Amino acid sequence: MDKIINKITMLNSIYKYSPVFLQNSYISAYGYYWKHRRYGGVFKEKLVEFKAHEQFSKEQWDKYQTHQLRKLLIHAFSTVPFYTKLYKKHGFSLSDFKKFNLSDLSKLPFLEKDDLRKYGTTSLLSSKREKGRFYSSSGSTGTPVKIYFSKKFHQTWSALYEARVRNWAGVNYKLPRAMIGGRRVLPSSIMKPPYYRYNLAEHQVYLSAYHIAENTTKDYVSGLASKNVKYLVGYALSIYLLAKHINKLKIDAPKLRAVLTSSEKLTPTMRNTITNAFKCKVYDAYSGVEACGLISENNAGELLFSPDSGIMELVDSNGNPINNGESGEVIATGLLNFNQPLIRYRIGDTITLSKSQKNSSQTNMPKITEIEGRTEDIIIGLNGQKMVRFHSIFNGIASVVMAQVIQNSLTEIQINMVVDDTFQPNIETIIEQRIQSQLGAVNILFNYVDTIEKTASGKYKSVISKISYEQ
């Protein structure tokens, strides 16, 4: 663990003390690698396939999912130690999976998030996996999950995102774009422009998610205008906060073709505010680093689940399937990643299935009324910047099992943590430094607990603010 943390610290230090033009060069160099990894290889072939699937009838979707599920289960039982042991324990044999039907899926046990955290890099990997690398979730509630992406799977998932998110919104990966995400493109909490960096390889302006404030808004807009950005992608709440400042200050922002949001629940107020700021439609989507299911919005404003991304079960508190018009917990089975199969994975979100399953595009995909997802509070920095997520605070620190960030005041942050027996005292210093690099010289209180309390809806809230603010 110490080696990983030291390596991350070294790379961050090099970037931190480099001038802006060199930081742009570093980001562009990485952008060239990233571009070829996602859009090379099978990308174009898979893009054609996914577009063709959009014409499937319900019967064709059932046949497709049944075929893919059988392949996945046979592969998992034969090559993934975790599932071999689990399914044998529950009385399944290889012959069972050769004749498995979609209606049989509920007979299989759940894959819990703790299982993915514990075994995701070992026994949940296929012995016949392709060469790849791990990508981590935000880890905002503690130890991140690590998802294994081969190049082929990465290109396949990128093709699905292109077909069902970008193309449905009328844009594509070749157009100049901007993004507000978790990457720390500005290395510290110091409020010094520019608050964005530029990836020349992908014509991408990367806007900082950690410096959004009224007095920084003009610089954000300047970054969009100077690079001729056509669409904006990123965290729903961060984009909303930026749009709110644009509207309040009456800044003439560039007219975009589309805004693509994700990660947090998009409310009608947020959608209207963003539309007013950028004079375009907002398209919401839901997936996650686990990449075992995709919900995206078509031009008519309808949220549709892509059946070729995975199988989505929605269940009530007793594990029974819900009816149309009801809300249920998402149980996801990914159909694309055979290297690290996620079968009946409890991803932790709630979705409402539409009462009427007819949609304007005549595609036979499940229609969703609402993605509840996760709703987090806004944390305010000493300089007035507003942020909603704390990527990288717990990255590389496996001994933090779960955590919760609470803002008691502008100058005090409390961390509730569940840790295991490998936790070392020096970890406090690492977490403290990471938080202060985002918020400034705030006081950090560490509170060690046995568990993080759930909300009334049964979810863990990773970020809580106890101070008032204008949202």
Side-chain angles (χ1 to χ4, degrees):
M1 181 190 70
D2 288 340
K3 289 183 179 180
I4 296 174
I5 293 173
N6 289 338
K7 185 176 181 181
I8 293 172
T9 301
M10 181 185 69
L11 293 174
N12 286 341
S13 294
I14 294 172
Y15 181 88
K16 177 179 180 179
Y17 292 107
S18 297
V20 173
F21 80 92
L22 276 181
Q23 291 177 349
N24 286 335
S25 297
Y26 298 151
I27 290 173
S28 296
Y30 186 66
Y32 279 107
Y33 159 77
W34 196 246
K35 180 179 180 180
H36 289 293
R37 179 179 175 84
R38 289 183 295 178
Y39 306 126
V42 301
F43 172 79
K44 291 183 179 179
E45 170 192 335
K46 293 297 181 182
L47 180 58
V48 172
E49 287 182 16
F50 288 131
K51 285 182 175 294
H53 292 172
E54 293 174 13
Q55 307 305 315
F56 273 6
S57 65
K58 187 179 185 306
E59 290 73 23
Q60 286 175 306
W61 275 126
D62 287 345
K63 184 178 180 180
Y64 175 87
Q65 286 196 321
T66 300
H67 176 70
Q68 289 298 108
L69 178 61
R70 289 176 180 175
K71 278 176 55 179
L72 180 72
L73 290 172
I74 291 169
H75 173 80
F77 187 83
S78 303
T79 74
V80 182
F82 179 90
Y83 290 114
T84 305
K85 180 179 178 180
L86 180 66
Y87 293 158
K88 281 184 177 180
K89 179 182 176 182
H90 283 79
F92 292 97
S93 65
L94 188 61
S95 60
D96 294 321
F97 297 129
K98 292 179 180 179
K99 55 186 179 182
F100 215 74
N101 293 311
L102 295 175
S103 59
D104 297 323
L105 194 55
S106 60
K107 299 175 183 177
L108 298 178
F110 293 132
L111 173 67
E112 303 289 347
K113 187 157 288 192
D114 279 348
D115 292 329
L116 181 54
R117 288 192 179 107
K118 291 177 183 177
Y119 307 113
T121 60
T122 54
S123 62
L124 265 169
L125 295 175
S126 170
S127 60
K128 294 185 178 180
R129 63 187 176 275
E130 301 161 322
K131 184 179 179 181
R133 58 179 294 187
F134 290 99
Y135 292 92
S136 296
S137 65
S138 67
S140 56
T141 56
T143 305
V145 297
K146 294 184 177 181
I147 305 301
Y148 190 85
F149 279 74
S150 67
K151 281 187 178 181
K152 183 178 180 181
F153 173 52
H154 212 154
Q155 290 155 5
T156 300
W157 186 256
S158 297
L160 182 65
Y161 184 89
E162 180 75 4
R164 306 279 165 75
V165 180
R166 289 196 185 101
N167 288 179
W168 280 9
V171 297
N172 61 68
Y173 76 99
K174 295 181 180 179
L175 292 172
R177 68 184 187 275
M179 180 173 186
I180 302 180
R183 191 171 296 280
R184 297 283 300 281
V185 292
L186 269 70
S188 73
S189 62
I190 298 173
M191 304 291 281
K192 183 179 179 181
Y195 300 105
Y196 59 89
R197 297 294 183 264
Y198 185 59
N199 168 13
L200 178 62
E202 297 190 88
H203 306 292
Q204 177 200 51
V205 176
Y206 207 111
L207 304 168
S208 172
Y210 306 103
H211 294 77
I212 298 172
E214 277 194 25
N215 62 343
T216 65
T217 301
K218 286 185 179 180
D219 186 72
Y220 277 79
V221 173
S222 175
L224 298 175
S226 65
K227 302 302 181 183
N228 196 29
V229 164
K230 300 302 182 186
Y231 65 101
L232 174 60
V233 182
Y235 297 157
L237 194 47
S238 294
I239 294 176
Y240 161 71
L241 291 172
L242 178 61
K244 191 170 183 291
H245 293 319
I246 290 172
N247 293 337
K248 180 179 180 180
L249 299 172
K250 298 182 179 179
I251 296 174
D252 187 17
K255 183 179 184 298
L256 303 180
R257 296 187 186 180
V259 173
L260 314 180
T261 60
S262 62
S263 297
E264 293 108 13
K265 182 178 179 179
L266 181 71
T267 67
T269 296
M270 292 164 66
R271 186 187 292 272
N272 291 336
T273 299
I274 295 169
T275 296
N276 289 339
F278 299 108
K279 306 297 186 295
C280 66
K281 291 189 69 170
V282 181
Y283 295 81
D284 198 18
Y286 164 94
S287 59
V289 72
E290 293 95 337
C292 53
L294 176 67
I295 298 172
S296 51
E297 188 173 338
N298 64 15
N299 192 52
E302 299 166 326
L303 290 167
L304 304 178
F305 176 77
S306 292
D308 39 9
S309 67
I311 299 171
M312 179 183 67
E313 300 172 78
L314 296 177
V315 301
D316 61 21
S317 57
N318 295 316
N320 299 316
I322 64 166
N323 298 314
N324 291 355
E326 297 178 345
S327 296
E329 177 189 355
V330 179
I331 308 298
T333 297
L335 294 178
L336 300 176
N337 189 357
F338 278 57
N339 301 296
Q340 186 197 47
L342 301 184
I343 303 170
R344 302 210 79 208
Y345 172 57
R346 299 184 70 173
I347 200 165
D349 290 323
T350 302
I351 283 173
T352 302
L353 198 60
S354 297
K355 191 166 186 179
S356 170
Q357 286 297 305
K358 292 182 180 179
N359 65 73
S360 62
S361 59
Q362 304 301 311
T363 52
N364 292 286
M365 301 180 184
K367 185 178 173 183
I368 308 300
T369 296
E370 184 179 17
I371 306 167
E372 293 191 20
R374 297 173 177 85
T375 303
E376 307 295 351
D377 284 354
I378 296 171
I379 299 294
I380 303 177
L382 291 174
N383 294 305
Q385 69 271 37
K386 296 177 181 178
M387 58 199 78
V388 294
R389 293 205 164 198
F390 287 86
H391 291 70
S392 78
I393 286 178
F394 304 107
N395 281 354
I397 307 177
S399 55
V400 177
V401 179
M402 295 192 71
Q404 184 178 61
V405 177
I406 301 176
Q407 183 166 36
N408 293 323
S409 69
L410 282 176
T411 58
E412 184 178 274
I413 297 291
Q414 177 179 318
I415 310 292
N416 293 334
M417 292 197 304
V418 179
V419 301
D420 63 25
D421 55 10
T422 65
F423 185 83
Q424 299 294 325
N426 69 310
I427 298 300
E428 284 192 4
T429 302
I430 295 168
I431 294 173
E432 188 174 65
Q433 291 172 345
R434 290 177 175 181
I435 291 177
Q436 290 176 344
S437 74
Q438 295 186 26
L439 297 178
V442 295
N443 184 40
I444 312 296
L445 303 178
F446 290 94
N447 180 35
Y448 296 92
V449 296
D450 294 327
T451 186
I452 303 295
E453 293 185 6
K454 293 182 179 180
T455 64
S457 62
K459 291 187 177 183
Y460 295 104
K461 197 165 185 180
S462 59
V463 179
I464 297 174
S465 174
K466 293 185 177 181
I467 63 176
S468 61
Y469 56 85
E470 180 188 356
Q471 185 166 325

